[in-house]
Amino acid sequence: MPTERQTLMVRRVSVEAVGVVSLDLVDPGGRALSPWSAGSHVDVLLPSGLVRSYSLCGDPVDSSTYRIAVLRAENGRGGSAELHLEATAGSRLDVSRPRNTFPLGVHPHYLFLAGGIGVTPLLSMVRNATRSGTPWTFVYGGRSRGNMAFLDELGALPGGRLEIVPQDEQGLPDLEAILRAAPQDTAVYCCGPSVMLDAVVAAGQVVRPELPIRLERFSNQAARHRDDDAAFEVTLARTGCTLAVTRGTSILEAVRTVLPNVSSSCEEGVCSACETAVLAGIPDHRDAVLTPKEQVANDYMMICVSRSRSPRLVLDL
Ligand code: FES
């Protein structure tokens, strides 16, 4: 969890779909909140101590409110269930400043592909596109209409084409057909379950390899420990110590033994809260945040999931 955080008040809780509530978070004193851009997320520190990341899905020009939407994950680790139970109007939550690891670039046309609760970062993006007068296509898939949040809000946005694809009515979206139909110079922004994101990338390679496709993942399969993981050492340059990172433990866990408040959130390599500068050594990047170019540069790494290709890493900690 970043050290810079603020206590915000839940102003309103709204049911957006089956199992999905949105929370409007405001400064208790009515002050303006830190600015944010479409695609940003915040980390929410729950009363139990769990930290969870949520995309901001409100309007980036509204400096009074951060809005997040929480899908209650039936088989999750408890964070979403806790928010559904505990977050009531008037309650307080510690929330990080917004960070953006999924920024919206400037393009002549946007294709937004949302799967389930992956609609959240794309909702703020499509508002931006509407405001800038940039044409857009928004394809939104979900299990059923009742499970799909923000249908009315999306339907009210002018300037683009919205395609709702409830799986129980129409099956899965035809990704190849959707990508094939995208105008030239379209940029694709996609958020949803990993299986959907992988399918979008595969379809793009087949039918439109030239289209830039930007993804935001909820979870990161590459983060799992592997059988051939090796032990290595990590030197914390500013702290002045060297730690052993054994097979089966993460750099983050090792660092916590000497820096218990080191920043972290998702611990799956998807949020960037633990991003750390690399001073020497070669990381084995396993995150879903850095671009391939950034991973090759080896200037930064996500210490919650990434490991080392060299016997020793030196980190700016
Ligand atoms: S804690 Fe989220 S990327 Fe490391």
Side-chain angles (χ1 to χ4, degrees), residues 264-274 289 302 304:
S264 69
S265 174
C266 70
E267 301 193 21
E268 290 195 49
V270 297
C271 78
S272 83
C274 68
V289 177
M302 303 303 145
C304 62

Side-chain angles (χ1 to χ4, degrees), residues 1 41 43 53 99 220 252 256 263-275 287-289 301-306:
M1 184 84 178
H41 67 271
D43 298 324
S53 296
R99 284 195 308 277
N220 177 16
L252 179 65
R256 273 201 190 120
S263 177
S264 69
S265 174
C266 70
E267 301 193 21
E268 290 195 49
V270 297
C271 78
S272 83
C274 68
E275 185 174 69
D287 64 275
V289 177
M301 69 184 296
M302 303 303 145
I303 60 171
C304 62
V305 293
S306 296

Side-chain angles (χ1 to χ4, degrees), residues 9-305:
M9 185 177 77
V10 179
R11 186 180 59 195
R12 187 172 55 190
V13 181
S14 309
V15 176
E16 303 290 353
V18 175
V20 180
V21 294
S22 68
L23 308 180
D24 284 354
L25 306 171
V26 299
D27 182 276
R31 288 179 291 270
L33 302 174
S34 302
W36 60 282
S37 53
S40 295
H41 67 271
V42 291
D43 298 324
V44 178
L45 175 62
L46 305 177
S48 63
L50 290 171
V51 179
R52 292 291 177 266
S53 296
Y54 294 99
S55 295
L56 294 178
C57 58
D59 192 337
V61 302
D62 176 6
S63 61
S64 70
T65 308
Y66 292 157
R67 184 164 62 143
I68 60 173
V70 183
L71 167 67
R72 184 172 181 142
E74 293 308 332
N75 299 313
R77 290 173 291 169
S80 62
E82 187 180 343
L83 269 179
H84 272 246
L85 285 172
E86 307 284 337
T88 53
S91 61
R92 314 264 164 139
L93 291 169
D94 278 359
V95 177
S96 72
R97 308 280 174 199
R99 284 195 308 277
N100 199 340
T101 55
F102 187 42
L104 182 68
V106 177
H107 300 278
H109 189 279
Y110 296 108
L111 172 58
F112 299 110
L113 301 175
I117 196 66
V119 69
T120 49
L122 304 180
L123 183 56
S124 61
M125 289 182 171
V126 70
R127 278 205 191 89
N128 262 23
T130 296
R131 188 171 290 116
S132 67
T134 309
W136 50 266
T137 303
F138 197 115
V139 181
Y140 181 11
R143 271 191 287 154
S144 68
R145 283 178 195 272
N147 293 95
M148 297 168 74
F150 306 119
L151 290 177
D152 291 345
E153 277 186 49
L154 284 165
L157 289 172
R161 192 174 66 80
L162 173 64
E163 194 180 328
I164 304 293
V165 190
Q167 194 176 345
D168 62 344
E169 296 174 25
Q170 300 176 35
L172 296 171
D174 183 342
L175 295 172
E176 289 195 7
I178 293 163
L179 291 167
R180 207 176 277 120
Q184 254 194 340
D185 300 323
T186 293
V188 184
Y189 287 78
C190 182
C191 185
S194 285
V195 63
M196 172 195 169
L197 304 193
D198 294 341
V200 170
V201 171
Q205 282 164 356
V206 171
V207 297
R208 295 291 298 274
E210 84 284 6
L211 288 185
I213 299 178
R214 302 203 168 79
L215 311 173
E216 179 153 87
R217 293 185 182 272
F218 305 146
S219 63
N220 177 16
Q221 298 300 321
R224 304 249 161 89
H225 289 299
R226 298 175 193 165
D227 290 343
D228 59 350
D229 281 346
F232 56 95
E233 284 184 343
V234 170
T235 295
L236 310 186
R238 279 186 281 129
T239 310
C241 67
T242 295
L243 305 165
V245 181
T246 57
R247 191 172 155 253
T249 60
S250 66
I251 298 176
L252 179 65
E253 287 165 333
V255 169
R256 273 201 190 120
T257 62
V258 291
L259 298 173
N261 295 323
V262 64
S263 177
S264 69
S265 174
C266 70
E267 301 193 21
E268 290 195 49
V270 297
C271 78
S272 83
C274 68
E275 185 174 69
T276 302
V278 179
L279 303 178
I282 305 169
D284 176 4
H285 295 286
R286 298 185 184 180
D287 64 275
V289 177
L290 297 174
T291 63
K293 206 169 151 193
E294 288 169 332
Q295 291 192 344
V296 168
N298 287 333
D299 294 331
Y300 294 92
M301 69 184 296
M302 303 303 145
I303 60 171
C304 62
V305 293

